[in-house]
Amino acid sequence: MAISYSEATRLAIGKALMGGDVWTPPASYDLGLFTGDPNNGGVECTGTGYARIPLANDGTHWGVVAGSFSKTFRNLTDWVFTAAAGAGWGQPNWICLFEAGGSDKVWAFQIDNASPVGAGDPFKVNTGGVTFQFLN
């Protein structure tokens, strides 16, 4: 799974690591679906019924995978985007996390085995279906 950080996020983390400002991650995110990497020219989905999904950024939602350099999304609900009848959304292959209520991208991840979302089709990410590996 590819991960893409926004330029602002990379700069904030870099400053924090090199004795600069303290970086505090957002308390919550808005999840958006994209065709292509949102931080490199990808386009956010549009179409009937499309809306971003709010998500808290806390230990309830994200847990450390024991014995690894990974974090897994472990919320008790699935992420479900549902296209209403009228227009599909193309083939989203990235999910982008925005600062809640804003347009600032924080980071994004590529969706493995993405498929098209037609009119009335749901796009679903299952609970426990997202794991980020922070490798050396």
Side-chain angles (χ1 to χ4, degrees):
M1 170 187 305
I3 296 176
S4 174
Y5 296 90
S6 71
E7 188 171 315
T9 300
R10 287 192 301 268
L11 181 60
I13 293 171
K15 284 182 178 180
L17 290 173
M18 300 303 174
D21 301 331
V22 173
W23 182 66
T24 303
S28 59
Y29 295 110
D30 289 331
L31 304 176
L33 290 177
F34 277 73
T35 300
D37 181 348
N39 295 308
N40 291 301
V43 177
E44 187 166 10
C45 291
T46 60
T48 307
Y50 175 78
R52 293 178 184 171
I53 296 175
L55 175 71
N57 184 22
D58 57 31
T60 300
H61 291 85
W62 300 99
V64 175
V65 177
S68 70
F69 294 100
S70 302
K71 294 281 264 183
T72 297
F73 177 74
R74 64 177 184 186
N75 193 18
L76 300 177
T77 59
D78 301 325
W79 297 338
V80 180
F81 296 84
T82 303
W89 302 340
Q91 186 164 333
N93 55 3
W94 285 79
I95 292 181
C96 182
L97 282 76
F98 292 85
E99 287 192 30
S103 60
D104 293 336
K105 297 172 191 148
V106 179
W107 51 286
F109 58 92
Q110 189 171 23
I111 301 164
D112 295 331
N113 304 315
S115 58
V117 177
D121 291 342
F123 180 90
K124 181 177 174 182
V125 177
N126 295 322
T127 300
V130 176
T131 299
F132 298 96
Q133 294 182 328
F134 304 97
L135 304 173
N136 57 3

